[in-house]
């Protein structure tokens, strides 16, 4: 059948011999791509009388949406919270390196820092599409500084701030601008947090609850005012208690507004969260699970000392601690590793594991109409994976941006 170019002159690619993750299940279908978008083949055949210009044999691989990492502090020697002269090139390096781990979009994450750091770095974080240069940038995730000193974790106490005096204006003064911000993590027990949450959500910024000693009623009130996410569930929050489960209780709360879903981040690295806790969370609220790496500068590097914002951290195997302590400080796990660990630890389906790193983060950010699925008209950001979920190739806008074979691996 000849190609019909009346609709578009752009070439049509057909990916064959594959299993697509679509409609929450793996289906034996071909994937059709044109101009960076996923095509509906029926429209192509019957409306345009078109066919593929290029066919690619996937050799039985799984095709799944690209992973979206909404909490990544750096990697490969780069720390997103460190004000350096080559900050932009550092972001470029990380965005390029994470392609091999299946990440096609991400939120560079800054931990609690002085206002001067936000003022210097945020203007340099450009929201952009992904491509051969690297994964797309969705906007910054600011984890702090409006958090609890009691649950500071690896955050420097001297930089922790409050907005009790001037509310939202304090937050604006600290960050300088909200233009490039996608997510803000805060402790909802801080006075005037309801006002701050409402102002952030009004501007389309996702509010996450974390590094907090909030009880369940405070967490529920935050959700009623617009919060939709929990930062690294179980870590840096009150432990679950049967009389007041704290923020963890949001997973099964009956006070969530109708039509609203609370999502929660999980560091599925085998260190931050015991597999039993991972299973409890997943079984309690499977549709809210969002896998995050919470990776620090040491991801991809040898053990030793590295930075995390204002702190020095030490990597010992897969453990990362604030130097001289046993306080965990982010992870060195990659997203594909987290997906495989989640699959193994929970015994969930392959589809469920993949969606926790793609569909769910897209839904959290309200971008599921273009990211996180292989639905027709979505961005053609996808991965080729083997049956054990090792990434074989990464595509952004339908173009191959990384392939395992190309490295002789």
């Amino acid at each position: 059948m000849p190609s019909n170019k009346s609709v578009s002159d752009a070439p049509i690619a057909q990916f064959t011999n594959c299993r697509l993750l679509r409609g929450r299940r793996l289906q034996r279908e071909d994937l059709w791509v044109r101009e960076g978008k996923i095509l509906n083949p029926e429209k192509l055949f019957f409306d345009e009388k078109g066919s593929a210009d290029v066919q690619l044999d996937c050799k039985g691989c799984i095709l799944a949406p690209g992973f979206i990492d909404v909490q990544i502090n750096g990697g490969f020697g780069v720390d997103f919270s460190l004000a350096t002269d080559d900050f932009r090139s550092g972001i470029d390096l990380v965005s390029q390196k994470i392609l091999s781990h299946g990440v096609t979009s991400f939120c560079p994450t800054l931990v609690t820092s002085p206002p001067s750091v936000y003022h210097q770095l945020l203007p340099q974080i450009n929201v952009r599409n992904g491509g051969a240069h690297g994964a797309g940038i969705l906007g910054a995730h600011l984890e702090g500084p409006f958090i609890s000193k009691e649950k500071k974790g690896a955050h420097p106490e001297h930089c922790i701030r409050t907005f009790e005096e001037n509310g939202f204006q304090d937050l604006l003064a600290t960050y300088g601008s909200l233009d490039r911000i996608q997510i803000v993590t805060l402790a909802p027990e801080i006075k005037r947090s309801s006002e701050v949450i409402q102002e952030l959500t009004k501007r389309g910024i996702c509010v996450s609850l974390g590094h907090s000693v909030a009880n369940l009623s405070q967490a529920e009130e935050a959700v009623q005012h617009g919060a939709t996410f929990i930062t690294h569930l179980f870590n840096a929050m009150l432990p679950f208690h049967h009389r007041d489960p704290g923020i963890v209780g949001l997973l099964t709360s009956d006070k969530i507004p109708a039509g609203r879903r609370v999502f929660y981040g999980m560091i599925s690295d085998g260190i931050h969260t015991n597999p039993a806790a991972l299973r409890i969370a997943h079984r309690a609220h499977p549709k809210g699970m969002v896998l995050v790496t919470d990776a620090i500068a040491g991801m991809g590097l040898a053990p030793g000392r590295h930075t995390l914002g204002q702190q020095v951290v030490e990597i010992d195997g897969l453990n990362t601690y604030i130097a001289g302590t046993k306080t965990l400080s982010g992870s060195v796990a990659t997203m594909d590793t987290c997906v495989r660990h989640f699959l193994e630890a929970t015994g969930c389906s392959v589809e469920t594991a993949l969606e926790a790193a793609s569909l769910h983060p897209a839904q959290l950010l309200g971008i599921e109409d273009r990211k996180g699925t292989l639905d027709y008209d979505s961005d053609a950001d996808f991965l080729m994976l083997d049956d054990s979920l090792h990434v074989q190739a990464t595509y952004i806008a339908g173009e191959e941006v990384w392939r395992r074979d190309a490295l002789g691996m």
Side-chain angles (χ1 to χ4, degrees), residues 244-408:
D244 189 341
I247 290 176
V248 177
L250 288 174
L251 271 63
T252 55
S253 170
D254 59 1
K255 302 281 196 307
I256 307 299
R260 179 90 55 80
R261 189 190 307 179
V262 173
F263 294 88
Y264 57 96
M266 291 292 284
I267 309 169
S268 172
D269 62 353
I271 296 198
H272 278 77
T273 311
N274 185 282
L278 199 57
R279 288 191 288 274
I280 287 169
H282 177 247
R283 289 173 192 175
H285 186 28
K287 291 185 177 177
M289 166 97 54
V290 173
L291 295 180
V292 299
T293 60
D294 197 21
I296 63 167
M299 176 179 69
L301 299 182
R305 292 199 164 200
H306 305 279
T307 65
L308 177 60
Q310 310 298 304
Q311 310 266 54
V312 176
V313 300
E314 195 146 8
I315 298 175
D316 177 13
L318 289 176
N319 294 287
T320 59
Y321 303 110
I322 292 292
T325 76
K326 286 297 176 185
T327 300
L328 285 172
S329 58
S331 83
V332 289
T334 56
M335 185 59 90
D336 54 329
T337 302
C338 291
V339 170
R340 291 191 296 272
H341 177 72
F342 174 52
L343 178 70
E344 182 184 348
T346 62
C348 69
S349 68
V350 165
E351 294 92 332
T352 296
L354 292 169
E355 286 184 342
S358 54
L359 174 63
H360 294 177
Q363 290 172 328
L364 165 71
L365 300 178
I367 57 173
E368 69 272 26
D369 60 329
R370 56 192 175 92
K371 304 282 185 191
T373 77
L374 297 182
D375 293 346
Y376 303 139
D377 300 321
S378 294
D379 293 348
D381 298 352
F382 60 92
L383 312 175
M384 213 175 271
L385 304 122
D386 64 17
D387 286 350
S388 58
L389 301 189
H390 288 88
V391 180
Q392 304 303 304
T394 303
Y395 288 79
I396 292 181
E399 299 293 330
E400 183 183 292
V401 293
W402 181 84
R403 176 170 287 276
R404 180 169 295 274
D405 304 349
L407 301 178

